[in-house]
Amino acid sequence: MSKKDRLKAQKAKQDIIQKELEEQERFEKEEAKLKQSKAAKKLRKKAKRDRVGSEPAICLILKLLMIIPFGYSGFFYGGVLVLGIFGKYIEPLPPKWVGWCALAGIVLILAGILLSFFKKYIISFIIIMGGTGVFLKAGEYMISHIQSRLDEVYVEESLQEMDKQYMGYYYPIMITAGISLILLAVSIIRRILKKRRIQYEKDTAPVQSIVE
């Protein structure tokens, strides 16, 4: 074999090796890109789950529990107070502002409870607190009025604790406000933890996956 033929053979061999190296490099790049693409897809799916994901069961339980004190104090006894004042069934008849306060409180608290089911915890808490304050203003008037009457007029022993009974009618509405506060706190804590988790995933994810 001539020197020229040997050089040609050597050149052909080098070309084959070069092509194999290029093919290997291309394969490794494709594999790395595929891994990054999978990581990006996983991150997108996780982000979507975080946006749409359901809340812990305790949140639903708390929302349902809010309805109980509202139904007892607000809807039932508050409703009785409103009907008693505007229907003039109570003697002596309290001022009409007492009835309006009770009615406004009932409506506001109910609106706040409904908003909590739509996960609007901040506005829900504000509305429920406002409604509770207005409702209790009416309730405190009735309790103070009863206490004054008990001090001025002799009543039977069975009626001497009437003011405390009325406290038991109206004050449980504060439980609804307390649960609303708990829901707000849980919501804030979950948001903080979610942001920290997302930031951690971004910091530890491949660069390509973050860009995608």
Side-chain angles (χ1 to χ4, degrees):
M1 182 182 291
S2 65
K3 184 176 181 181
K4 186 176 181 180
D5 291 336
R6 286 197 304 271
L7 289 173
K8 283 183 178 180
Q10 188 176 0
K11 179 69 168 59
K13 187 176 181 181
Q14 288 175 349
D15 290 342
I16 293 172
I17 294 173
Q18 182 65 28
K19 285 182 180 180
E20 288 179 352
L21 290 174
E22 289 175 355
E23 184 66 22
Q24 180 67 24
E25 185 178 357
R26 186 187 65 79
F27 176 77
E28 290 176 354
K29 285 182 179 180
E30 289 292 333
E31 189 177 30
K33 187 176 180 181
L34 181 62
K35 287 181 180 180
Q36 291 172 346
S37 179
K38 287 181 178 179
K41 189 176 181 181
K42 186 177 180 182
L43 275 179
R44 285 195 294 269
K45 284 184 178 180
K46 189 167 185 61
K48 187 176 180 181
R49 285 199 304 269
D50 288 337
R51 288 194 298 268
V52 184
S54 59
E55 292 182 314
I58 186 64
C59 290
L60 178 59
I61 294 172
L62 289 171
K63 293 172 191 177
L64 295 174
L65 286 176
M66 276 200 297
I67 299 173
I68 298 174
F70 169 73
Y72 175 80
S73 292
F75 188 78
F76 183 73
Y77 283 107
V80 169
L81 178 59
V82 171
L83 291 175
I85 293 174
F86 291 114
K88 299 181 180 179
Y89 301 123
I90 300 176
E91 290 293 341
L93 188 66
K96 281 192 175 182
W97 68 261
V98 177
W100 286 116
C101 281
L103 181 59
I106 293 168
V107 172
L108 287 172
I109 296 170
L110 178 60
I113 292 174
L114 291 175
L115 284 171
S116 72
F117 280 90
F118 292 97
K119 304 177 184 178
K120 307 294 183 181
Y121 296 119
I122 296 176
I123 186 67
S124 170
F125 173 71
I126 293 171
I127 291 176
I128 288 176
M129 285 299 295
T132 301
V134 174
F135 181 85
L136 287 178
K137 188 173 181 64
E140 287 172 358
Y141 173 88
M142 295 299 298
I143 293 168
S144 297
H145 180 71
I146 291 170
Q147 289 173 337
S148 298
R149 296 286 294 173
L150 290 174
D151 291 338
E152 296 171 0
V153 181
Y154 174 78
V155 294
E156 297 179 4
E157 186 176 350
S158 60
L159 299 177
Q160 289 178 359
E161 300 292 322
M162 186 182 293
D163 57 336
K164 293 182 176 59
Q165 290 177 0
Y166 273 74
M167 289 179 187
Y169 296 158
Y170 300 133
Y171 285 174
I173 200 73
M174 291 187 292
I175 297 174
T176 299
I179 294 175
S180 178
L181 176 61
I182 294 172
L183 280 170
L184 176 60
V186 170
S187 173
I188 292 172
I189 292 170
R190 291 185 74 237
R191 283 187 184 184
I192 293 172
L193 293 176
K194 177 182 173 182
K195 285 183 179 179
R196 288 181 178 177
R197 186 179 70 251
I198 291 174
Q199 187 60 48
Y200 173 77
E201 289 173 350
K202 285 182 177 179
D203 291 342
T204 56
V207 176
Q208 182 68 22
S209 67
I210 295 173
V211 173
E212 291 177 357

